[in-house]
Amino acid sequence: LAANVSDNLVERVLARDFRAVARLITLIENDDPAAISCLRRLYPHSGRCLSVGITGAPGSGKSTLVEALAGYYRLQEKTVGIIAVDPSSPFTGGAILGDRIRMQARSTDPGVFIRSMANRGQLGGLARATNDVLLALDAAGFDIVLIETVGVGQDEVEIARTAAVTLVLVVPGMGDDIQAMKAGVMEIGDIFVINKADRPGVDKVESELEAYLALNHRPDRWRAPVVRTVASSGEGVEECARAIAEYEAFLRQLPPHDDRKLQIARDRLLELTQMQLLRQLLAASGAAGAIDELAAKVAGRELDPFSAAEQLVQLACGSGKTVKE
Ligand SMILES: Nc1nc2c(ncn2[C@@H]2O[C@H](COP(=O)(O)OP(=O)(O)OP(=O)(O)O)[C@@H](O)[C@H]2O)c(=O)[nH]1
Ligand SMILES: [Mg+2]
């Protein structure tokens, strides 16, 4: 993109032009270097939105809760950005995901922007891309950004963590005992939501959650609350929003050099550095061939992956071998 084109894109994103926001997100997904130059200029305009990650087992009601929360915030005249991320389906390009977030009711509302993401770019890191998209929506002036993660696993945990506040959904009577929940998912919950509280087994799941929380103290001393919701009817959604606001207030009073903030900044810095190193490597002459060749050697056990990676790093950082973009 020519500089004036990305200038124009930045201006339009700042004016919350939905088409420009969508275009920037596509650039981010494609690891286009133009995305970085836009994001760099958008950064000073960011830092105001409230981001909420919503994770939980398939079918636990994440999309329904996202929609209910969006409705709640819209009544307060707040603008809402919704990102649905599916790390498990890199090939569908979010088409199926689009169906999974049934938010027709909101799709005509100019105060709500909805986007699904499933593409893992060449440079990897869907969590990194989600972070970038969050920055774009933040700079575009959305008051609230809701991030629904689909699928289960480490990727999902990392994506949910890109938000300031993470909700973990649990449902009664699905036999998924708290103890058996995926390691990592429980730890990231700033707020636990027992959704489908209209179903039997609510008390059981709540006492299991409370028992877990009583044993697991967080270093920041935040005591994660447990909220009951019936997302499909809107019951408990206000309490859920209140818990979100309380956690946000807790975060706000943390000093700028709080361990958690430093850790987040550090993770983000390393992630971006990793991406730039990869970008440099890919721009190096002969890199594509070298990657395939080394991969074949590693696959055939002729070469160990450690030495292969070292050779690629040398190619990326090596003297005079890189081509300027
Ligand atoms: N009884 C009851 N049903 C609910 C509630 N919340 C959601 N549902 C229903 O549960 C089903 C799954 O809801 P979704 O919101 O699609 O769940 P999800 O977690 O987004 O699902 P995936 O994205 O596929 O993982 C839908 O049929 C909802 O209508 C609730 O509080 N009570
Ligand atoms: Mg869903």
Side-chain angles (χ1 to χ4, degrees), residues 239-252:
E239 284 88 333
C240 183
R242 199 177 309 132
I244 293 169
E246 275 164 22
Y247 185 63
E248 191 202 18
F250 168 81
L251 287 178
R252 223 187 272 286

Side-chain angles (χ1 to χ4, degrees), residues 77-204:
E77 307 204 344
K78 291 186 171 150
T79 48
V80 181
I82 297 170
I83 319 169
V85 195
D86 188 352
S88 62
S89 70
F91 303 113
T92 60
I96 293 173
L97 195 60
D99 292 340
R100 288 174 86 178
I101 49 165
R102 294 170 296 274
M103 278 176 240
Q104 278 86 1
R106 311 253 153 253
S107 61
T108 52
D109 179 346
V112 179
F113 176 89
I114 303 173
R115 172 74 177 233
S116 52
M117 292 174 58
N119 286 322
R120 185 181 305 279
Q122 197 175 18
L123 307 181
L126 202 46
R128 192 263 310 155
T130 307
N131 238 316
D132 290 350
V133 171
L134 181 55
L135 165 54
L137 294 178
D138 185 353
F142 287 96
D143 300 310
I144 314 280
V145 176
L146 304 171
I147 305 169
E148 174 185 350
T149 63
V150 174
V152 270
Q154 190 54 38
D155 279 347
E156 187 195 32
V157 167
E158 270 166 35
I159 291 159
R161 278 177 57 156
T162 59
V165 184
T166 305
L167 306 189
V168 172
L169 260 66
V170 176
V171 291
M174 253 177 59
D176 59 330
D177 292 343
I178 300 308
Q179 317 301 332
M181 269 182 79
K182 273 239 180 297
V185 174
M186 289 299 289
E187 282 96 275
I188 60 164
D190 301 313
I191 295 161
F192 289 89
V193 178
I194 303 177
N195 189 43
K196 306 200 183 183
D198 52 334
R199 292 203 174 163
V202 185
D203 292 335
K204 180 171 181 286

